[in-house]
Amino acid sequence: CHGGRISGDASQKQVTAPSPLPDLTFLNFMTEWCERQRGYFVALATLLMAIDTASALATSRARGFSLVCWTLLPLLLILQVMCFRVCVSQRCRRLSHSCVNFCLGALVVAVIACVACFVAASLWVSVAWDQASNLHPVTSIAEFSGVQQQRAWAIFLSDGYVDVKAMVSKHMMCTPPKKQHKPAHPCNFIFVAPIFKHAKGVDNRTAHIYAWAVSQSPIAADIR
């Protein structure tokens, strides 16, 4: 009789359904983890930003820097997006979901644009850095060896011969806005001419070309 009463009481209890699992995506999981370890994530994002910026500015020196720059960029974007979401969830809770997504997209576009600008400016940075740090720049064509040609970026030759007759040029075709109704026209010209050790090398097919003179305007004068 006692055992039957226990079984009857147990049958009268209602079985509650388990609560639904939260919508745990990879981004939500990483954002929650970033919220708990925010200091480490901010430090890691800052370190990756510094490495990616330095690699972007040095892409003109070696292909390895370009590989590092574009490989670290997705990881850097993920860390910045997570840190931004944590900051918004803690300080700007009144922002709508669409506004937050728009800000995240703008952040991603801004970071990619900045990295692209750094890559485009890497050649100018290399030349300016070599000009400021090199105490003995190459000034004579006789000193312009293959090793120095690979290392030097800022070169100031005081001799040599530029063969203007062998100058070649290339250009792009720029299309004006549709409102102007004008045809495409040549633009962004670039001119190059070979540099020999002396003028006798012009007629000599076996003469060594030490360098190339590059200009955005026609090279009108010889440099001897």
Side-chain angles (χ1 to χ4, degrees), residues 51-136:
I51 295 176
D52 199 66
T53 301
S55 301
L57 293 174
T59 50
S60 61
R61 294 183 172 271
R63 296 181 180 179
F65 291 111
S66 179
L67 179 62
V68 172
C69 172
W70 297 112
T71 302
L72 291 181
L73 183 58
L75 182 58
L76 176 62
L77 292 175
I78 293 175
L79 291 177
Q80 289 186 338
V81 166
M82 289 188 299
C83 294
F84 181 81
R85 291 189 62 179
V86 170
C87 181
V88 169
S89 63
Q90 293 181 352
R91 300 183 181 182
C92 304
R93 298 181 179 179
R94 296 182 180 180
L95 292 178
S96 61
H97 184 70
S98 59
C99 183
V100 173
N101 290 336
F102 176 80
C103 293
L104 289 176
L107 176 64
V108 171
V109 172
V111 172
I112 296 177
C114 289
V115 172
C117 291
F118 290 149
V119 171
S122 62
L123 180 58
W124 177 86
V125 171
S126 297
V127 174
W129 176 262
D130 186 70
Q131 183 177 357
S133 60
N134 191 2
L135 300 178
H136 302 285

Side-chain angles (χ1 to χ4, degrees), residues 13 75 135 202 206 221:
K13 293 182 179 180
L75 182 58
L135 300 178
V202 175
T206 61

Side-chain angles (χ1 to χ4, degrees), residues 2 9 21 38 74 77 83 92 167 172 175 191 196 221 223:
H2 182 68
D9 294 341
L21 296 176
R38 185 174 56 180
L77 292 175
C83 294
C92 304
M167 179 177 55
M172 300 176 62
T175 304
F191 300 84
F196 297 95
I223 303 176

